Amino acid sequence: MATTAAPSPAQPLSESSLARISAALDGRWAERRRASRTVCTEPDLVSVPGLSVADHRARVLAAIGELANRGEVQRAFPARLGGADDPGGNIAGFEELIVADPSVQIKAGVQWGLFGAAVLHLGTAHHHDELLPGIMSLAVPGAFAMTETGHGSDVASIGTTATYDPDSQEFVIHTPHRGAWKDYLGNAAQHGVAAVVFAQLVTGGVNHGVHAFYVPLRDTDGERDERGDLPMLPGVTSEDDGVKGGLNGIDNGRLAFDHVRIPRTNLLDRYGQVAPDGEYSSPIASPGRRFFTMLSTLVQGRVSLDGASAVVSKMALAIAIRYAEQRRQFTGADPDVETVLMDYGTHRRRLLPLLARTYAVQLLHNDLLERFHGVFSGEHDTDSDREDLETLAAAAKPLSTWHALETLQTCREACGGAGFLAANRLVGLRADMDVYATFEGDNTVLLQLVGKRLLTDYGRSTAKMDVAGQARWVAERAGDMALHRTPLRRASQSIRDWGSRARSAEELRDPAVQRELLEDRVETMVEEIALRLRPTHKASAAEKAAAFDANQAELVEAARAHGELLQWESFTGALESITDSDAKRVLVWLRDLFALTTIERHLAWYVVNGRLSAQRARTVTSYVERLLLRIRPYAGQLVDAFGYGPEHLRAEIATAAEGERQAEAMAYARARRASGEAPVAEKDLVRRSGSTQTPREAAAAPA
Amino acid sequence: MATTAAPSPAQPLSESSLARISAALDGRWAERRRASRTVCTEPDLVSVPGLSVADHRARVLAAIGELANRGEVQRAFPARLGGADDPGGNIAGFEELIVADPSVQIKAGVQWGLFGAAVLHLGTAHHHDELLPGIMSLAVPGAFAMTETGHGSDVASIGTTATYDPDSQEFVIHTPHRGAWKDYLGNAAQHGVAAVVFAQLVTGGVNHGVHAFYVPLRDTDGERDERGDLPMLPGVTSEDDGVKGGLNGIDNGRLAFDHVRIPRTNLLDRYGQVAPDGEYSSPIASPGRRFFTMLSTLVQGRVSLDGASAVVSKMALAIAIRYAEQRRQFTGADPDVETVLMDYGTHRRRLLPLLARTYAVQLLHNDLLERFHGVFSGEHDTDSDREDLETLAAAAKPLSTWHALETLQTCREACGGAGFLAANRLVGLRADMDVYATFEGDNTVLLQLVGKRLLTDYGRSTAKMDVAGQARWVAERAGDMALHRTPLRRASQSIRDWGSRARSAEELRDPAVQRELLEDRVETMVEEIALRLRPTHKASAAEKAAAFDANQAELVEAARAHGELLQWESFTGALESITDSDAKRVLVWLRDLFALTTIERHLAWYVVNGRLSAQRARTVTSYVERLLLRIRPYAGQLVDAFGYGPEHLRAEIATAAEGERQAEAMAYARARRASGEAPVAEKDLVRRSGSTQTPREAAAAPA
């Protein structure tokens, strides 16, 4: 029915326009992405619904062995050891592994992105030479033993100890109580023969805080048990985490250590060394800074989950939109032709804003990955580069992982019962993605970190600037479209001078207005929280804690708003590089849809705070509806640009099958009508002949 | 840290106050609910994570056999056949089966709530006598073959035909094309030996629309194949739907019929009869009304999913809140004591509004179930009772099923990694609940039905009333707290005279103000849509369709708002019956929290439409924050009132285990400090002695 509501038939985008959009989405490492995507169609790598946990684990172990053999997963490691010193390209390829099976991706991530990366970034040359070859080849599968049952997000408080014994020149790794068991570790339940274990380093009666140690777990010379596992080494105990909500191809488990001794040299000692006599030294004097520096080397986990979330959101929308372009249900204006789902107002409203946000997520991710590569390749590796990278990753990952869950669920529901079948992928991907919201940093905790950074920046900027400085700073930023030079752009109420534009301008589609609205919200929220927290500077610790707690939920909201601003900036930045005018026109609509649906979601804030008049607020929704109609004819092409074909999606409903079924049904109905054998509908008879006749009499009456 | 932010230590509710709350939640059939809940702890009935699909299916078939033997599931059937003529009590007990395993619930629902209920409600005495005993005992497992691959929500358009052959006095059941295969049917892949098949009834060249037929599927005398399945009868084909996103204990599958002949008497003929000579007759002249009457007998599916969603939301919150009361993470004001999760502002914000809404969902469900019982027991069974019941169920089920998914996911995330383990139930329940959002009526489609009803009522009320009538109608309703006498309470802009109270009154906690705000929004939205659709009365079909499409998303929003109003009314109605003042005080806060967070979610609407001033809108959020602090001390008791103990939840984190781990860790730290063996933290040394000493020298220095 809504075909008539759409504007006059839209010209499809040309192949070259589409290619330009694909190039923007796939970014700097497009070739790596596409190569990895192709590998992910290999029959031995792809997920198989309904496997038992044991079979799935065995299959995934074999799959990552295959990836190791092909050299797909070692590009971040040093070239001298067979890697490529290519951190960005490595992550780009890694992110696409989710196409095969999220368990394959995360098992690979445990081995090379966590276990191997810890040896690389926290160890020194001799660790690299001795340990990395076995890790890179998967000869030595390993666990990353940071999280404990009792401590997830609060890594600084873990209970495992590594106490130095100068007599034997060994560390004694020990689990003092049940809460200090390492938990949720991939490779811990079955396959890991070693682990990087995080523990409180104690030497000479001093606790120097959390450090990482290389600890053998299983006896590689021992005899495998009935399920094929090597025996544990003395003092090491493993427990299986059992069935999980997803990612069941990975053998997550728990580890405990009972006074397990390892050589002194197994301390991964880049940021903290212990001499044979037990003397501790570190290039970083502050224990706090040292801790955060060590943890910051592991940011790639968050970066790559952000990218994987973009990939999976693209896959979900490709499945649901291709199905919605074929699937028909209920008739509209024409009683003989059922309407395709994509032409329903509710369907557009459910799917197209997610499509727009998926573009934003991918484009922010591309910028994040560039930054990551800059830091880890050493090209842009100052303290502030690292700090910005961490804040950016902490803002991007929660938004993208939650977005992926929302997208998968909405797409699943939009496909009805067909969406619930494992054969159509959506439910399996959703189950696997679930934990992305809490691992590698709980989303809520990460947003609190971002919020604290915003508060700190606010404090810095107001403390350091005089009025003239503030004015200059604003002037500098007014025309500045560059990405997140600093997370916080404006500093104080007194310099908020753009507020009038949104109220007076005709056009919510003016990017300057969109930017102003998104930016203003972050900054005002941060400023208000800062003001509310200020009176507590002389307060007791308990009062300060209470005040912070009272503002915690809003701080998280401010961090989320900051992430949305970053997404908008990346989307807008990407538009600048697109010269193809057709592609640009459609992408500008999509960016506008992203901006306007984001503003719509927070509309109460804008109206309550006087940023939008009630009148203008009403136009937000009507402009969104207009954009949905404009974009609708391009929905299919906008998911084609993602580059995922049936061979990647492996979902029957994302092939031509549904269209063929519809065509068959329509052909059947046509043939019946033509044959004259089709029965007359009772309601048509009743209409024609009144209700005094029986239906049979009516049928017998001449038409 | 937030313990200090909470009001002075709250007095816990007494046991009798708690019992009063439980009684309100468990409603009229509390005894049935509690008995069913107890049965659901039996070892043979409960879910076992990680079973293969084959083993899970076999286990669930055995489980429902056990339920049949115990007489737990037949209460809706006639007493003369061993039932209890107790539709309400039957559903109350059925809803609790989800405690054991959602697959057990839904498999039971397929057998007795769909297959059996269709025979009961669409068949006549001879069907009851011949068929119900086998169905009730599970001697005859059966499928409910309504949905087709090509048609889910649009049942009227199904393609399967049942053509009457007067010569043999048989119906010929036929599947004319692939899209007309029956699909997603429980019991179709393996266990069903018969089915109620919905097909277009054709006799004498006339299609009388969709009717239900009893059709044998499998040869009960045949030899079972290697997976234990009976052979299909000639002309019947079955396909397995394979692995699903959840509910894998049920053998969903597809069925096709190739000119399968069944006796004339297998037509379930309560609403449409075919005489031996082929003459069709029906007690309902209008084919449309006849169709909707037949479908309306199946409303219990929606009613019971609504109740099951309430149950599962209660279970999820019991798990997450009990864990959050024990689990500690990060230190606050006191550096030696970590904060329990429930004392974090973000945790309160995430969980307590869901707790309030869960109460609202349960209490609306109780009213819905009363209505259902009234209609199906025959106590209140007019056409308008049935129509109201259907609208109410169509409004309640989408809100409650989506609420359950949101609650399960939020609870899962709030429990971190522990929440992702199958052993803690949340992920399994979520996977199973997923499809509740689209089966028994796609949520979005159901809300459209509600929206259309609201539009119709709006049209009726404005058409029939003169100004004096409107004034009288308003006056009647002003003091009327009775539940949804009609879905639409006020008719036109001119009689909107309460608007001032919300702007002037001090108190958003005044229930009259809350009601006004919630009610006003529904009615204004409906009115606006009606006005926008009015100009199309003389428009072409295509223009009308386009106009409707353009308003479809907002109509769904209006229906949702209507559902929220109903929830609020039921919650408020339940408060009236509670005389215990302590229980009432806490429940009023909870109702207020439900009302205020609902209003907060739609705050933009209220401000943009002038119902709340910007100033008052700000107080909504601050009042919510106050309520969260007030309710927080009762969070544990408010989930205790649900009546689900560890034996029902079967989640380790909802036992005392986490508290014991925390106690062990704290005892260890205390003992270490007391022994003098605890290492000194480096950062404390640095603070005490400056940074010129090495840590070791500092450790050696006198404290």
Side-chain angles (χ1 to χ4, degrees):
Chain A
M1 65 220 242
T3 43
T4 56
S8 54
Q11 195 70 18
L13 293 169
S14 68
E15 280 198 25
S16 76
S17 296
L18 262 192
R20 191 58 204 83
I21 297 176
S22 293
L25 288 166
D26 287 347
R28 174 166 165 190
W29 293 277
E31 237 174 287
R32 284 297 312 141
R33 279 196 186 285
R34 293 168 189 177
S36 178
R37 216 175 270 171
T38 303
V39 169
C40 287
T41 63
E42 302 272 334
D44 289 348
L45 301 184
V46 303
S47 58
V48 176
L51 287 185
S52 70
V53 168
D55 290 348
H56 194 186
R57 285 180 178 181
R59 182 177 173 84
V60 168
L61 179 64
I64 68 163
E66 177 62 22
L67 291 173
N69 292 342
R70 289 165 173 263
E72 284 291 333
V73 280
Q74 299 97 336
R75 299 182 61 84
F77 293 102
R80 69 180 169 88
L81 297 170
D85 291 316
D86 178 14
N90 179 66
I91 295 292
F94 171 77
E95 288 163 0
E96 301 284 331
L97 295 182
I98 203 167
V99 170
D101 180 349
S103 285
V104 168
Q105 178 181 59
I106 298 302
K107 183 105 169 173
V110 167
Q111 177 67 15
W112 296 292
L114 292 172
F115 175 57
V119 171
L120 176 65
H121 295 304
L122 302 178
T124 44
H126 76 100
H127 299 114
H128 300 168
D129 294 342
E130 282 168 35
L131 303 174
L132 286 181
I135 294 173
M136 290 167 67
S137 72
L138 197 61
V140 181
F144 179 78
M146 178 186 271
T147 296
E148 297 180 353
T149 303
H151 286 98
S153 298
D154 186 7
V155 177
S157 300
I158 55 172
T160 305
T161 49
T163 308
Y164 186 65
D165 173 2
D167 296 338
S168 63
Q169 299 196 15
E170 288 171 326
F171 284 101
V172 181
I173 309 289
H174 186 63
T175 305
H177 51 76
R178 184 73 218 191
W181 278 55
K182 298 293 177 184
D183 206 347
Y184 314 116
L185 319 174
N187 277 339
Q190 291 195 265
H191 303 141
V193 302
V196 168
V197 176
F198 288 79
Q200 307 284 353
L201 188 161
V202 177
T203 180
V206 178
N207 180 351
H208 293 280
V210 176
H211 288 66
F213 302 83
Y214 187 86
V215 184
L217 298 178
R218 287 183 168 85
D219 180 1
T220 50
D221 297 327
E223 202 177 320
R224 291 182 182 269
D225 66 12
E226 70 283 356
R227 72 171 191 177
D229 301 347
L230 293 166
M232 302 308 294
L233 288 168
V236 186
T237 310
S238 161
E239 256 182 25
D240 201 312
D241 276 327
V243 183
K244 304 185 299 293
L247 297 181
N248 278 306
I250 305 165
D251 58 324
N252 292 77
R254 308 183 184 99
L255 293 173
F257 303 92
D258 181 6
H259 299 94
V260 171
R261 289 179 168 264
I262 55 167
R264 181 185 64 92
T265 52
N266 279 24
L267 166 64
L268 299 176
D269 61 350
R270 178 163 168 199
Y271 296 108
Q273 302 85 34
V274 172
D277 67 351
E279 171 99 18
Y280 180 84
S281 59
S282 167
I284 304 176
S286 153
R289 239 191 91 223
R290 189 190 311 143
F291 172 71
F292 287 111
T293 302
M294 285 196 255
L295 287 199
S296 77
T297 62
L298 305 165
V299 71
Q300 74 178 31
R302 289 171 193 168
V303 173
S304 59
L305 296 192
D306 182 59
S309 299
V311 171
V312 89
S313 302
K314 291 187 289 185
M315 292 171 68
L317 285 163
I319 292 170
I321 288 179
R322 282 180 193 154
Y323 183 63
E325 291 276 24
Q326 299 173 55
R327 172 77 175 180
R328 294 174 180 276
Q329 200 80 165
F330 292 104
T331 52
D334 179 348
D336 286 334
V337 182
E338 291 169 294
T339 306
V340 292
L341 297 190
M342 206 63 223
D343 278 332
Y344 282 102
T346 44
H347 228 71
R348 286 194 301 274
R349 246 297 173 179
R350 289 158 88 188
L351 295 181
L352 296 185
L354 293 172
L355 179 64
R357 213 196 302 160
T358 296
Y359 269 72
V361 163
Q362 180 66 61
L363 293 167
L364 172 58
H365 175 71
N366 291 355
D367 288 335
L368 172 61
L369 193 55
E370 290 269 8
R371 279 212 174 219
F372 168 78
H373 186 76
V375 166
F376 282 80
S377 68
E379 289 167 19
H380 300 285
D381 187 15
T382 65
D383 278 0
S384 96
D385 285 329
R386 286 194 174 239
E387 202 183 342
D388 285 354
L389 170 62
E390 272 180 79
T391 307
L392 192 52
K397 182 259 180 183
L399 269 64
S400 59
T401 51
W402 275 327
H403 170 69
L405 289 178
E406 183 187 348
T407 302
L408 283 160
Q409 185 63 20
T410 305
C411 289
R412 181 332 255 161
E413 292 180 22
C415 295
F420 193 59
L421 302 186
N424 289 320
R425 293 294 297 284
L426 296 166
V427 285
L429 289 172
R430 199 219 162 276
D432 292 330
M433 284 298 299
D434 185 347
V435 77
Y436 286 51
T438 53
F439 72 3
E440 293 289 317
D442 176 281
N443 282 358
T444 302
V445 175
L446 289 181
L447 288 179
Q448 286 179 49
L449 291 179
V450 173
K452 285 179 185 169
R453 170 80 192 274
L454 293 173
L455 282 176
T456 307
D457 284 2
Y458 175 80
R460 279 184 202 153
S461 60
T462 51
K464 286 189 193 154
M465 262 189 272
D466 56 11
V467 173
Q470 288 179 356
R472 196 166 52 244
W473 195 58
V474 170
E476 278 167 17
R477 267 149 193 77
D480 176 1
M481 297 289 277
L483 184 71
H484 36 77
R485 181 80 42 91
T486 166
L488 191 67
R489 289 172 171 272
R490 275 182 300 153
S492 85
Q493 184 67 36
S494 62
I495 53 174
R496 183 167 297 126
D497 60 351
W498 300 353
S500 59
R501 207 187 302 166
R503 282 188 294 271
S504 65
E506 295 299 312
E507 304 295 358
L508 284 163
R509 63 173 179 242
D510 178 350
V513 173
Q514 293 173 9
R515 170 195 288 275
E516 178 183 345
L517 287 169
L518 295 171
E519 205 167 60
D520 187 17
R521 180 157 177 268
V522 187
E523 292 168 11
T524 305
M525 288 174 87
V526 170
E527 188 167 53
E528 286 181 356
I529 296 166
L531 290 173
R532 285 200 295 270
L533 293 179
R534 208 164 47 181
T536 66
H537 280 174
K538 287 170 197 168
S540 71
E543 284 166 339
K544 278 188 196 176
F548 186 78
D549 180 71
N551 286 283
Q552 194 184 29
E554 192 172 341
L555 188 61
V556 165
E557 276 310 299
R560 201 191 301 261
H562 173 65
E564 290 166 347
L565 170 62
L566 297 177
Q567 291 175 334
W568 182 90
E569 287 185 326
S570 288
F571 203 152
T572 302
L575 290 177
E576 297 199 351
S577 69
I578 291 183
T579 50
D580 179 299
S581 64
D582 290 340
K584 189 160 188 158
R585 196 182 70 251
V586 176
L587 289 184
V588 165
W589 289 338
L590 207 61
R591 191 275 320 272
D592 290 353
L593 180 62
F594 170 70
L596 275 282
T597 48
T598 303
I599 290 164
E600 190 183 38
R601 209 145 23 102
H602 308 305
L603 204 56
W605 188 92
Y606 288 106
V607 181
V608 167
N609 290 280
R611 300 315 197 269
L612 289 175
S613 67
Q615 191 49 42
R616 178 153 300 274
R618 279 174 183 276
T619 67
V620 171
T621 296
S622 60
Y623 188 41
V624 165
E625 294 291 335
R626 243 182 9 250
L627 285 167
L628 294 174
L629 284 172
R630 270 189 203 146
I631 293 166
R632 187 263 165 271
Y634 301 98
Q637 289 196 300
L638 287 168
V639 299
D640 290 346
F642 294 154
Y644 298 106
E647 69 279 20
H648 305 108
L649 301 176
R650 307 195 307 280
E652 201 216 50
I653 53 170
T655 64
E658 178 64 24
E660 287 158 15
R661 269 197 298 267
Q662 297 286 346
E664 187 200 355
M666 285 190 267
Y668 172 82
R670 265 196 309 274
R672 290 277 287 173
R673 279 196 299 271
S675 73
E677 283 167 20
V680 189
E682 181 190 332
K683 67 175 188 293
D684 295 337
L685 294 178
V686 173
R687 251 183 240 149
R688 271 184 261 163
S689 58
S691 56
T692 51
Q693 290 172 298
T694 64
R696 178 163 244 200
E697 289 164 345
Chain B
M1 65 221 240
T3 43
T4 57
S8 54
Q11 196 69 19
L13 292 169
S14 69
E15 280 198 25
S16 76
S17 298
L18 262 192
R20 192 58 204 79
I21 297 176
S22 293
L25 288 166
D26 287 347
R28 173 165 166 192
W29 292 278
E31 235 175 288
R32 283 298 311 141
R33 281 197 185 284
R34 292 169 189 177
S36 178
R37 216 175 272 172
T38 302
V39 169
C40 287
T41 62
E42 302 274 333
D44 288 348
L45 300 184
V46 303
S47 58
V48 176
L51 287 185
S52 69
V53 167
D55 290 348
H56 194 185
R57 285 180 178 181
R59 182 177 173 85
V60 167
L61 178 64
I64 67 164
E66 177 62 23
L67 290 174
N69 291 342
R70 288 164 174 264
E72 284 291 333
V73 280
Q74 297 99 335
R75 300 183 58 84
F77 293 102
R80 69 181 170 87
L81 297 170
D85 290 315
D86 177 16
N90 179 64
I91 294 292
F94 172 77
E95 288 163 1
E96 300 284 332
L97 294 181
I98 204 167
V99 169
D101 180 348
S103 284
V104 168
Q105 178 180 59
I106 299 301
K107 182 105 169 171
V110 167
Q111 177 68 15
W112 295 292
L114 292 172
F115 175 57
V119 171
L120 176 64
H121 297 303
L122 301 179
T124 44
H126 76 101
H127 298 114
H128 298 170
D129 294 340
E130 281 169 36
L131 303 174
L132 286 181
I135 293 173
M136 290 168 68
S137 71
L138 196 63
V140 181
F144 179 78
M146 177 186 272
T147 296
E148 297 181 353
T149 305
H151 287 98
S153 298
D154 186 7
V155 177
S157 299
I158 56 171
T160 304
T161 49
T163 308
Y164 186 65
D165 174 2
D167 295 337
S168 62
Q169 299 196 16
E170 288 171 326
F171 284 102
V172 181
I173 309 289
H174 186 60
T175 305
H177 50 77
R178 183 74 218 191
W181 278 56
K182 298 294 177 183
D183 206 347
Y184 316 116
L185 320 174
N187 276 339
Q190 291 193 265
H191 303 141
V193 302
V196 169
V197 176
F198 288 79
Q200 308 284 353
L201 189 161
V202 178
T203 180
V206 178
N207 180 350
H208 294 279
V210 175
H211 288 66
F213 302 83
Y214 187 85
V215 183
L217 299 178
R218 287 182 167 86
D219 180 2
T220 50
D221 297 326
E223 202 177 318
R224 292 181 183 269
D225 66 12
E226 69 283 358
R227 72 171 191 177
D229 301 348
L230 293 166
M232 303 307 296
L233 288 167
V236 185
T237 311
S238 161
E239 257 183 24
D240 201 311
D241 276 327
V243 183
K244 304 185 298 293
L247 297 181
N248 277 306
I250 304 165
D251 57 324
N252 292 78
R254 307 183 184 99
L255 293 173
F257 303 93
D258 182 7
H259 299 92
V260 171
R261 289 179 167 264
I262 54 168
R264 181 185 66 90
T265 51
N266 280 23
L267 167 64
L268 300 176
D269 59 351
R270 177 162 167 199
Y271 296 108
Q273 302 85 34
V274 172
D277 68 351
E279 169 101 18
Y280 180 85
S281 59
S282 168
I284 304 176
S286 153
R289 238 190 91 224
R290 188 191 312 141
F291 172 70
F292 286 110
T293 303
M294 284 196 254
L295 288 198
S296 77
T297 60
L298 305 165
V299 70
Q300 74 178 30
R302 290 172 192 168
V303 173
S304 60
L305 295 191
D306 182 60
S309 299
V311 171
V312 88
S313 301
K314 291 187 290 185
M315 291 172 69
L317 285 163
I319 292 171
I321 288 179
R322 281 180 193 153
Y323 184 62
E325 291 275 24
Q326 298 173 55
R327 172 76 175 180
R328 294 173 180 276
Q329 200 79 166
F330 291 104
T331 53
D334 179 348
D336 287 334
V337 182
E338 290 169 292
T339 307
V340 292
L341 296 191
M342 206 61 223
D343 279 332
Y344 282 102
T346 43
H347 227 72
R348 286 194 300 274
R349 247 295 173 180
R350 289 158 86 188
L351 295 181
L352 297 185
L354 294 174
L355 179 64
R357 214 195 304 158
T358 296
Y359 270 72
V361 164
Q362 180 67 61
L363 294 167
L364 172 57
H365 176 71
N366 292 353
D367 288 334
L368 172 61
L369 194 54
E370 291 269 8
R371 277 210 176 221
F372 168 79
H373 186 76
V375 166
F376 281 81
S377 67
E379 291 167 19
H380 301 284
D381 187 14
T382 66
D383 277 359
S384 97
D385 285 330
R386 286 196 174 237
E387 202 184 344
D388 285 354
L389 170 62
E390 271 181 81
T391 307
L392 192 53
K397 181 261 182 184
L399 269 64
S400 60
T401 50
W402 275 327
H403 169 69
L405 289 178
E406 182 186 349
T407 301
L408 282 160
Q409 185 63 19
T410 304
C411 288
R412 178 336 251 161
E413 293 180 22
C415 295
F420 193 60
L421 302 186
N424 289 320
R425 294 291 301 282
L426 297 166
V427 284
L429 289 172
R430 199 221 162 276
D432 291 330
M433 284 297 299
D434 185 346
V435 77
Y436 286 50
T438 53
F439 72 2
E440 292 290 318
D442 177 280
N443 281 359
T444 302
V445 175
L446 289 180
L447 289 179
Q448 287 179 48
L449 292 180
V450 173
K452 285 178 186 169
R453 169 81 191 273
L454 293 173
L455 281 177
T456 307
D457 283 3
Y458 175 81
R460 279 184 202 154
S461 61
T462 51
K464 288 189 192 153
M465 262 188 274
D466 58 10
V467 173
Q470 288 180 356
R472 197 167 52 244
W473 195 57
V474 171
E476 277 168 17
R477 267 148 193 75
D480 175 2
M481 297 289 278
L483 183 71
H484 35 80
R485 180 80 43 92
T486 167
L488 192 65
R489 287 172 172 273
R490 275 182 300 153
S492 85
Q493 184 69 34
S494 61
I495 52 175
R496 183 165 297 124
D497 60 350
W498 301 353
S500 59
R501 205 187 304 168
R503 283 188 294 271
S504 66
E506 293 301 313
E507 302 298 356
L508 284 163
R509 64 174 179 241
D510 179 350
V513 173
Q514 293 173 10
R515 169 195 289 275
E516 178 183 347
L517 288 169
L518 295 171
E519 206 167 59
D520 188 16
R521 181 157 177 267
V522 187
E523 291 168 10
T524 306
M525 288 174 87
V526 171
E527 187 168 54
E528 287 181 355
I529 296 166
L531 290 174
R532 285 200 296 271
L533 292 180
R534 209 165 44 179
T536 66
H537 280 174
K538 288 170 196 168
S540 71
E543 284 165 339
K544 278 189 196 175
F548 186 79
D549 180 70
N551 286 282
Q552 194 185 29
E554 192 172 339
L555 189 61
V556 166
E557 275 313 298
R560 202 191 300 261
H562 173 65
E564 290 166 348
L565 169 62
L566 296 178
Q567 291 174 333
W568 182 91
E569 287 185 327
S570 287
F571 203 152
T572 302
L575 289 177
E576 297 198 353
S577 69
I578 291 183
T579 49
D580 178 298
S581 64
D582 289 339
K584 188 160 191 159
R585 196 181 70 249
V586 175
L587 289 184
V588 166
W589 290 337
L590 206 60
R591 191 274 320 270
D592 290 353
L593 181 61
F594 170 69
L596 276 282
T597 48
T598 302
I599 290 164
E600 190 183 39
R601 210 145 23 101
H602 308 305
L603 204 56
W605 188 92
Y606 288 105
V607 181
V608 166
N609 289 281
R611 297 323 195 263
L612 289 175
S613 67
Q615 190 48 41
R616 178 153 299 272
R618 280 175 181 274
T619 67
V620 171
T621 296
S622 61
Y623 188 41
V624 165
E625 294 292 332
R626 245 187 2 255
L627 285 168
L628 293 173
L629 284 171
R630 268 188 204 148
I631 294 166
R632 186 263 168 271
Y634 300 98
Q637 290 195 300
L638 287 168
V639 298
D640 289 346
F642 294 153
Y644 298 106
E647 70 279 19
H648 306 108
L649 301 176
R650 306 195 308 279
E652 201 216 50
I653 53 171
T655 64
E658 179 63 24
E660 286 158 15
R661 269 199 297 270
Q662 297 286 346
E664 186 201 355
M666 285 190 267
Y668 172 82
R670 266 197 307 276
R672 289 279 285 173
R673 278 198 298 275
S675 73
E677 281 167 23
V680 189
E682 181 190 332
K683 66 173 191 293
D684 294 337
L685 293 178
V686 173
R687 249 183 240 150
R688 269 186 261 163
S689 58
S691 56
T692 51
Q693 289 173 298
T694 66
R696 178 164 246 199
E697 288 163 347

